[in-house]
Amino acid sequence: MPITFPIGEAGAVFGWSALVEPRTYTATCETTMPSTTIRLEGAQLLQIFEESPRDGLLVLRRLARVMASRLKASYERFAR
């Protein structure tokens, strides 16, 4: 069953699953208003992180925050 995570703010992240093991892309996106998206190849981004570990750590910390927030939201949705 698909799970929907509404993203309503500029700069939001989706499709991050290619950055974590097993590096499988699992998300799709549907917009309800004109939007601009940026596609980054996971392997290239990981290479950048290796070259700049400080930036990589910052991104992964923010990613963990996004993941935790969405996991909490899904738990709350299923608990109803």
Side-chain angles (χ1 to χ4, degrees):
M1 169 170 59
I3 298 173
T4 302
F5 294 103
I7 300 173
E9 68 276 356
V13 176
F14 69 93
W16 48 262
S17 56
L19 290 177
V20 295
E21 295 294 334
R23 294 196 178 110
T24 303
Y25 189 73
T26 60
T28 60
C29 176
E30 181 178 319
T31 63
T32 58
M33 66 182 73
S35 303
T36 301
T37 59
I38 299 172
R39 179 181 179 198
L40 302 170
E41 295 292 332
Q44 291 175 331
L45 195 53
L46 289 172
Q47 179 65 37
I48 292 169
F49 292 169
E50 287 182 17
E51 294 169 3
S52 181
R54 182 180 220 155
D55 293 333
L57 180 59
L58 176 64
V59 169
L60 291 178
R61 282 183 175 160
R62 290 181 180 174
L63 176 59
R65 198 174 322 143
V66 168
M67 292 168 60
S69 171
R70 292 183 186 170
L71 183 60
K72 180 181 176 195
S74 67
Y75 286 154
E76 290 171 354
R77 209 172 293 141
F78 287 116
R80 293 181 200 162

